[in-house]
């Protein structure tokens, strides 16, 4: 079966995020009021062929641990849907 | 009220995505079988103060149109939750 994994890789809470800070400053300059705590990370979509949803989620988690996220500085969130 | 906007900015379908192609090649080299159609974009989280969920969604959409996404090459998806 084919699945589509949606992954977010975000800088860990508490770590500086200069890109997020730059976006927050730019939004404020553009007169968007009430904007706070901007964080910028990566959104990754992967097509995964697997026997079950559980297998697809497990494979996606291993991809994040091996390649897609830096375990020292980043957290990842996974959502897997049938394709 | 405070809301948290989760934004995905992804390269448009049909546009080349060299970063996604590089990730796909790397996953295949790491012996992840059954991986296809990898796309890499940006995940952005923004704290938004607004009077209602609709106002927060509307403000987030305008942020994407003004700053966060390139309308020629990228699509964006928005989810807004109460913070």
């Amino acid at each position: 079966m084919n699945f589509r994994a949606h992954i977010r890789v975000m800088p860990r809470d508490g770590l500086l995020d200069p890109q997020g800070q730059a976006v927050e400053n730019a939004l404020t300059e553009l007169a968007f009021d009430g904007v706070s705590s901007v964080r910028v990370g990566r959104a990754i979509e992967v097509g995964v062929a697997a026997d079950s949803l559980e297998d697809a989620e497990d494979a996606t988690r291993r991809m994040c641990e091996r390649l897609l996220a830096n375990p020292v500085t980043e957290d990842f969130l996974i959502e897997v849907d049938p394709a």
Side-chain angles (χ1 to χ4, degrees), chain A residues 17-66:
Chain A
D17 176 11
Q19 203 179 350
Q21 191 59 55
V23 169
E24 187 167 329
N25 294 345
L27 287 171
T28 304
E29 294 256 327
L30 288 170
F32 285 102
D33 297 326
V35 162
S36 62
S37 311
V38 178
R39 310 287 283 172
V40 177
R42 295 189 300 290
I44 306 167
E45 297 189 4
V46 183
V48 182
D51 290 336
S52 67
L53 184 65
E54 287 70 33
D55 285 357
E57 287 173 343
D58 190 56
T60 305
R61 190 171 305 109
R62 284 185 286 115
M63 288 176 211
C64 289
E65 290 167 355
R66 289 285 308 275

